[in-house]
Amino acid sequence: MQSAIQKDGDAALLRLEGRFTFTDHEAFRQLINEFGDTPPQHLTIDLNAVTYLDSAAVGMLLLLREHFDRIRIVLKGGNSTVKELIRIAKLGTLFDLAE
């Protein structure tokens, strides 16, 4: 997985690319830590370039949700396989979903 963070005032965009799997656990934790103690009020996670998402990646997204429990987090895009896993995992109950 490759990633990039773009910050703009009280909003941030986290772009993920490639396969998002268990092997990305440490890198994803470091991404979360890059926000420090003052996270943005709005975070969009762009999944448009993610080609594969496994159950461990879903768990990492849930950890992110738990870590940033008071901010709005949007999961954006994703291919049909990624969207299906998001639907099956019922992530729409914890995250806002966008195309």
Side-chain angles (χ1 to χ4, degrees):
M1 171 194 74
Q2 295 178 338
S3 62
I5 297 174
Q6 180 181 350
K7 297 178 184 177
D8 185 15
D10 64 350
L13 174 65
L14 171 57
R15 288 193 175 112
L16 302 178
E17 183 178 332
R19 295 175 56 85
F20 184 18
T21 66
F22 176 77
T23 59
D24 299 305
H25 179 74
E26 186 60 37
F28 194 75
R29 185 170 297 280
Q30 289 176 4
L31 280 174
I32 293 171
N33 290 337
E34 282 186 37
F35 289 105
D37 293 331
T38 54
Q41 292 301 305
H42 177 86
L43 174 62
T44 299
I45 303 172
D46 186 345
L47 301 171
N48 280 309
V50 172
T51 58
Y52 178 79
L53 189 76
D54 71 4
S55 60
V58 170
M60 288 181 255
L61 291 172
L62 294 174
L63 287 174
L64 177 107
R65 172 75 273 167
E66 184 178 307
H67 186 76
F68 295 139
D69 65 339
R70 298 180 188 250
I71 71 169
R72 180 174 181 236
I73 302 176
V74 176
L75 299 179
K76 179 181 176 187
N79 65 29
S80 60
T81 304
V82 169
K83 287 179 181 177
E84 181 65 10
L85 185 55
I86 288 170
R87 185 191 66 75
I88 290 169
K90 298 184 180 184
L91 293 181
T93 61
L94 299 170
F95 299 90
D96 292 334
L97 304 177
E99 287 298 317

